[in-house]
Amino acid sequence: MGISTFDDWMVSYLSQLNQAQCDAVINTEGPSLIIAGAGSGKTRVLTYRIAHLIEKGIDPFQILALTFTNKAAREMRGRIEKVVGTEARNLWMGTFHSVFARILRIESEKIGYPRNFTIYDADDTKSLLKSIIKEMGLNDKVYKPNMVYGRISNAKNNLISAESYFQRDDLISADAESAKPKIVEIYKTYADRCFKSSAMDFDDLLLKTHFLFKNHLDVLNKYQHRFLYTLVDEYQDTNHCQYMIVKKLAAVNENISVVGDDAQSIYSFRGATIQNILNFKNDYPDAKTFKLEQNYRSTKIIVDAANSIIKKNKNQLDKTVFTNNADGEKIQLIRAVTDNEEGRFIAQSIFEEKMQNQLPNRHFAILYRTNAQSRSVEEALRRMNIAYKIYGGLSFYQRKEIKDLIAYLRLVINPNDEEAIKRIINYPSRGIGKTTLDKLIVLANQKDQSISDIITQAQNFHQLKSPFKKLKDFHTMMETFRIMAHEKDAYDTAYYVAKSTGLLKNLREDKTIEGVSRFENIEELLNGIKEFVEDDTSEKEKTLANYLQEIALLTTLDQADENEDHVTLMTIHMSKGLEFPYVYLSGLEENLFPSALSIDSREELEEERRLFYVAVTRAMKKLTFSFATSRFKYGNLLPTEPSRFINDIEPKYYNMDRKTLEQKPLPIGKNKSYGRSTGFAKKNPRQTPAYAIKTNRPPSIQNFVPENMENIQKNSKIQHERFGVGEVLEITGEGNNKKVQINFEEFGEKTLVLRFAKLRYFKHD
């Protein structure tokens, strides 16, 4: 570290903090609530607080730090390691799910699971539920797997096991009233099948940890005394189950520090409850409160606009976020006639910002309320050859070929994994068809055993006489893989499995574009396993089991390649915790944002407003809103109106007179033009317009003719297809980089790259 004493070290890093951050770092004893406003240096405070504990002499093994993404945990661990060295690797730090999975593997015998249990992702869960619904002879249009999954997940997050569900008359009555009385039986069957398959889903990692501590007080006591200090990031996003586990763990020492921002509580649909952070002082009356209110991320305009939004909410903790950053640009507003036009305006705006300021694509983000809104923006970006990437779509680990190989690897580690067996028992084809698989499932259910158990006893069942040799060969192959997994590292095992099963050969023979892509994806997966094996910064054994747990707990953002240069498209929910210099928030319309499903109660509307606040506070330099006066819904172009949230922001933060929002939309189908801006910016012709609308009024366009723009002169009168008529004020640069500064009559001053501007000269008669 290069610093001789602890006191010197403290002075060196505390000098990098403001007073509020410093107080939150050094006051480590007892319960504390750190209210961290957007962009206030929360990660730095958490990092230094943990580093401070270690430098005080606390053993890292006695510090528990819980986050919501692996990315956040890696970032913090890396920063701590720079301060205190490799001791940081001994921290119990990670997501709730990864830390609790670690505890469950250690204590697996207490709950009747093997240490090598499988973690089912959402696709595995839905696949199993779909099978159960079919086996029970239920209508999958009534018992939709997604819906059933949601009901079961909600029950688990509220500490309701399959057994206790049967005792809940209120839940059973609600299911009956909604014409879904079999939910309780599906839940019980699902829980039994997971147990038989030695598998847990994500919610089980929380629920079973809760019951482990509740039913085994010796285990609870062990971890209560192991973790002298507990830190929880994003506390406003915790659900009831997470809250109860953390409360139990901290009950002995009460050295619990929670960090969060109630203004960014936006995950109630996942079971998160804002009351956890609002009631922290009730749980710990002696808790100290630290407020991180200085924003280092955004301009003053953006910070003050965000404050004017959130003050409309009644249910919140008191704080006032401020910044010493520059004022910055006022908020721009794009008003379009249709959602397709909205996409074009956003793409055009990004293109102009990129050209004028020589910016990379990664500086831009387009946020929306629902994934469906990305279509019009995607089309517009493609037309302008602007690279983009959507987050929240199909992730790398959800692709079929990747899930196929991972299913093999899961089965190597856990022979009872039902979903893995069903996926690959006949891929590549080995003559074990659907009929045989159905027989295996029926026998497994009848005997209350796993499918793998039935395969090992295939000679005992007359139903399996015909496919017996094929089943035996499959079993022998898997046993060979398991032996190898004990002797080799994760990469050698995975490569051998991919080759020996014929999976690599099968994909290599497909020479279509899609086939080549699938083969490259498998190669990339194997490369990832190789990197895992060669990673010297991790203390984990390079076993296949550890690799599978690591990828099972990945989130979509954890897989993002930050080195790629692309515009980011994502829902606002996914954007929390991120920041971008330029942010476009699209679809600011009533019944879209706020959602039509969230306007019937104050609680729901306030969460939508917090979501709006989160979107605004992602922006660092410039913020642009957009809305359309009509949007395609269910195949029809329907009129819309601007979101009420636009009016939550005080008028002084907009680069416009908000009365323009009251313009009535054009009659749909009556006028194919783009609409005309009215009553705008005449008082200050140099003011940049607040919203980008094409005008009907290119005056005497026949008087403007194409000319050689290389010879453009200062004071020339020109016409632009979008901004209309203007006068050249300045010409700078040479060749392809030549730029012209133009004062447009309606749109004020613009600086354009000449070769892209498509200008026309005014021809004098």
Side-chain angles (χ1 to χ4, degrees):
M1 199 161 53
I3 298 168
S4 58
T5 68
F6 176 57
D7 289 339
D8 290 339
W9 179 79
M10 279 186 62
V11 170
S12 76
Y13 80 80
L14 293 183
S15 65
Q16 303 173 40
L17 307 174
N18 63 39
Q19 188 59 53
Q21 292 173 329
C22 184
D23 291 341
V25 165
I26 64 177
N27 289 282
T28 58
E29 304 308 301
S32 60
L33 170 62
I34 302 173
I35 304 171
S40 61
K42 168 178 69 74
T43 302
R44 171 174 287 192
V45 168
L46 269 173
T47 299
Y48 281 157
R49 187 178 173 95
I50 295 170
H52 184 65
L53 286 168
I54 296 173
E55 288 298 312
K56 279 174 60 178
I58 304 301
D59 189 334
F61 283 104
Q62 295 180 310
I63 300 173
L64 172 64
L66 298 168
T67 67
F68 272 83
T69 67
N70 292 292
K71 182 181 178 183
R74 283 197 303 270
E75 182 181 350
M76 280 196 284
R77 193 189 298 273
R79 291 190 189 185
I80 295 167
E81 190 167 335
K82 287 180 181 177
V83 178
V84 303
T86 55
E87 275 293 293
R89 299 179 187 179
N90 297 327
L91 289 163
W92 277 68
M93 175 183 280
T95 64
F96 281 88
H97 294 93
S98 64
V99 169
F100 295 160
R102 182 178 174 184
I103 291 174
L104 289 171
R105 290 197 192 280
I106 293 171
E107 311 295 341
S108 59
E109 289 184 7
K110 295 281 197 309
I111 56 174
Y113 271 80
R115 291 192 64 163
N116 62 351
F117 63 79
T118 296
I119 299 173
Y120 277 176
D121 64 15
D123 282 353
D124 296 320
T125 293
K126 291 172 191 174
S127 173
L128 179 53
L129 286 171
K130 189 174 180 181
S131 296
I132 292 169
I133 290 164
K134 181 180 179 182
E135 291 164 21
M136 292 176 66
L138 300 174
N139 186 342
D140 61 5
K141 298 293 188 292
V142 176
Y143 292 92
K144 296 178 181 177
N146 273 349
M147 178 276 298
V148 176
Y149 177 32
R151 298 280 270 269
I152 292 174
S153 177
N154 187 56
K156 289 181 179 180
N157 288 333
N158 285 284
L159 309 180
I160 302 169
S161 66
E163 291 76 15
S164 56
Y165 201 107
F166 277 99
Q167 313 303 319
R168 292 289 299 267
D169 292 338
D170 57 332
L171 296 177
I172 292 175
S173 295
D175 290 340
E177 288 173 10
S178 62
K180 300 175 182 67
K182 297 291 186 180
I183 291 286
V184 64
E185 293 179 34
I186 297 173
Y187 185 6
K188 179 65 168 63
T189 304
Y190 171 73
D192 291 343
R193 293 278 277 275
C194 283
F195 183 74
K196 196 164 58 175
S197 296
S198 302
M200 297 187 198
D201 63 27
F202 266 44
D203 296 313
D204 284 328
L205 297 176
L206 305 181
L207 183 67
K208 293 189 184 299
T209 301
H210 167 75
F211 283 118
L212 171 69
F213 290 157
K214 180 181 178 182
N215 299 329
H216 300 275
L217 296 183
D218 57 326
V219 176
L220 173 60
N221 184 64
K222 169 183 169 182
Y223 289 99
Q224 284 176 332
H225 287 85
R226 169 172 290 177
F227 301 132
L228 301 184
Y229 293 85
T230 300
L231 300 93
V232 185
D233 191 15
E234 305 286 9
Y235 192 62
Q236 76 281 349
D237 293 336
T238 53
N239 60 36
H240 183 57
C241 189
Q242 290 163 326
Y243 163 80
M244 290 299 295
I245 295 171
V246 169
K247 192 174 181 183
K248 279 188 173 75
L249 285 172
V252 171
N253 298 297
E254 287 204 346
N255 288 324
I256 178 171
S257 175
V258 302
V259 186
D261 182 6
D262 59 297
Q264 298 185 63
S265 177
I266 59 174
Y267 292 121
S268 66
F269 67 95
R270 292 184 188 168
T273 171
I274 192 174
Q275 297 306 317
N276 290 347
I277 193 168
L278 295 179
N279 294 335
F280 186 80
K281 295 279 282 186
N282 295 337
D283 291 333
Y284 304 95
D286 298 329
K288 296 184 286 288
T289 300
F290 305 97
K291 296 181 181 180
L292 309 183
E293 296 174 299
Q294 183 172 354
N295 180 297
Y296 292 93
R297 173 188 298 157
S298 307
T299 64
K300 193 172 189 302
I301 290 287
I302 292 170
V303 169
D304 291 348
N307 285 339
S308 72
I309 293 166
I310 206 62
K311 74 179 184 182
K312 302 289 195 304
N313 275 7
K314 297 183 183 298
N315 198 17
Q316 61 178 301
L317 297 170
D318 178 52
K319 68 177 179 300
T320 303
V321 180
F322 68 94
T323 187
N324 293 329
N325 293 342
D327 286 352
E329 296 186 54
K330 290 188 176 183
I331 299 170
Q332 303 290 303
L333 187 65
I334 293 174
R335 176 183 183 271
V337 175
T338 67
D339 47 347
N340 285 335
E341 185 180 79
E342 178 190 31
R344 289 198 297 273
F345 285 164
I346 290 173
Q348 180 67 32
S349 176
I350 291 174
F351 179 80
E352 289 172 4
E353 291 282 2
K354 275 167 50 67
M355 291 299 106
Q356 290 174 17
N357 300 302
Q358 300 297 301
L359 299 172
N361 292 319
R362 63 178 177 275
H363 281 197
F364 297 87
I366 304 169
L367 309 181
Y368 33 76
R369 181 64 180 82
T370 66
N371 277 309
Q373 290 171 249
S374 72
R375 180 197 56 79
S376 59
V377 178
E378 284 188 76
E379 290 176 359
L381 291 172
R382 279 200 297 268
R383 288 193 191 102
M384 302 200 73
N385 292 318
I386 298 174
Y388 68 90
K389 186 170 184 178
I390 297 178
Y391 291 91
L394 188 67
S395 77
F396 177 79
Y397 292 97
Q398 296 303 314
R399 292 185 166 96
K400 178 188 179 301
E401 60 276 13
I402 300 301
K403 287 186 76 71
D404 288 337
L405 179 51
I406 287 175
Y408 270 109
L409 303 182
R410 278 174 27 183
L411 200 56
V412 170
I413 300 303
N414 175 15
N416 295 325
D417 189 334
E418 177 178 332
E419 288 306 301
I421 290 178
K422 283 157 58 176
R423 185 174 191 95
I424 53 83
I425 194 169
N426 197 42
Y427 179 76
S429 178
R430 53 178 59 91
I432 305 175
K434 185 176 181 303
T435 301
T436 300
L437 181 58
D438 288 343
K439 289 177 181 178
L440 288 169
I441 293 171
V442 169
L443 285 167
N445 292 337
Q446 288 175 351
K447 302 293 182 181
D448 195 24
Q449 295 179 335
S450 69
I451 294 176
S452 181
D453 290 335
I454 300 299
I455 291 175
T456 61
Q457 308 165 46
Q459 71 276 13
N460 299 330
F461 301 106
H462 66 86
Q463 302 97 314
L464 302 177
K465 183 177 181 181
S466 176
F468 168 67
K469 185 178 185 309
K470 294 168 185 172
L471 291 172
K472 182 181 178 183
D473 290 345
F474 175 74
H475 173 69
T476 302
M477 177 183 70
M478 295 307 304
E479 284 300 308
T480 302
F481 296 158
R482 289 181 192 114
I483 292 169
M484 187 171 190
H486 285 294
E487 299 172 349
K488 302 288 186 179
D489 63 30
Y491 174 76
D492 288 338
T493 304
Y495 182 77
Y496 183 77
V497 169
K499 186 176 179 181
S500 300
T501 57
L503 194 149
L504 275 180
K505 180 175 181 290
N506 188 279
L507 292 175
R508 190 184 287 114
E509 290 173 349
D510 185 350
K511 300 301 182 183
T512 65
I513 294 175
E514 294 80 6
V516 171
S517 176
R518 285 192 287 268
F519 181 76
E520 289 172 348
N521 286 338
I522 289 292
E523 285 189 318
E524 184 59 30
L525 177 67
L526 292 170
N527 290 339
I529 300 175
K530 187 72 170 176
E531 287 178 15
F532 168 80
V533 168
E534 295 178 351
D535 181 7
D536 295 330
T537 65
S538 173
E539 299 296 314
K540 291 181 180 177
E541 288 186 70
K542 309 307 180 183
T543 63
L544 190 57
N546 282 338
Y547 172 77
L548 290 173
Q549 172 157 317
E550 189 168 288
I551 64 168
L553 296 168
L554 283 177
T555 65
T556 304
L557 286 178
D558 290 324
Q559 301 158 25
D561 184 350
E562 296 175 355
N563 296 318
E564 293 181 14
D565 186 33
H566 51 248
V567 174
T568 296
L569 276 66
M570 60 171 57
T571 63
I572 305 167
H573 280 100
M574 286 207 67
S575 74
K576 194 164 82 68
L578 304 178
E579 58 184 33
F580 305 90
Y582 296 81
V583 169
Y584 292 77
L585 177 56
S586 65
L588 271 174
E589 298 147 30
E590 282 293 293
N591 297 321
L592 183 55
F593 195 20
S595 165
L597 302 175
S598 304
I599 57 178
D600 293 330
S601 73
R602 175 171 297 281
E603 290 76 15
E604 291 174 336
L605 185 59
E606 289 201 350
E607 175 150 335
E608 286 286 290
R609 186 175 284 113
R610 292 195 295 270
L611 190 60
F612 183 42
Y613 174 86
V614 165
V616 167
T617 54
R618 299 312 93 200
M620 301 166 70
K621 291 181 64 174
K622 186 173 181 180
L623 181 62
T624 302
F625 295 160
S626 66
F627 69 95
T629 57
S630 60
R631 187 171 292 272
F632 274 98
K633 295 179 182 177
Y634 313 112
N636 298 310
L637 192 61
L638 303 175
T640 63
E641 59 179 292
S643 168
R644 69 188 75 186
F645 290 156
I646 295 175
N647 288 318
D648 279 349
I649 295 179
E650 295 176 19
K652 62 183 177 182
Y653 302 123
Y654 284 107
N655 196 3
M656 65 173 289
D657 176 357
R658 275 193 320 196
K659 289 182 180 178
T660 55
L661 287 175
E662 298 170 9
Q663 294 178 108
K664 293 182 178 179
L666 295 174
I668 296 172
K670 301 290 185 182
N671 191 334
K672 298 295 184 183
S673 70
Y674 286 106
R676 178 180 174 180
S677 64
T678 59
F680 177 75
K682 286 294 183 184
K683 294 178 183 176
N684 182 4
R686 285 177 174 256
Q687 182 182 9
T688 303
Y691 58 89
I693 310 179
K694 293 190 177 180
T695 174
N696 296 342
R697 194 189 62 82
S700 306
I701 194 167
Q702 65 271 19
N703 289 333
F704 290 91
V705 296
E707 291 286 350
N708 181 5
M709 287 295 134
E710 288 299 315
N711 300 322
I712 193 168
Q713 301 291 320
K714 191 174 178 180
N715 300 323
S716 296
K717 195 172 184 180
I718 56 86
Q719 188 259 350
H720 184 272
E721 65 175 7
R722 175 174 166 193
F723 301 128
V725 177
E727 182 179 333
V728 177
L729 301 177
E730 203 69 52
I731 304 169
T732 57
E734 298 290 339
N736 288 339
N737 295 319
K738 185 178 285 189
K739 297 179 182 178
V740 286
Q741 186 180 0
I742 303 169
N743 182 30
F744 291 100
E745 291 179 5
E746 287 201 2
F747 287 86
E749 286 187 18
K750 294 280 186 185
T751 301
L752 307 175
V753 178
L754 186 60
R755 65 189 176 115
F756 296 117
K758 296 182 181 178
L759 301 175
R760 289 170 175 259
Y761 268 128
F762 181 76
K763 182 182 72 175
H764 296 279
D765 295 329

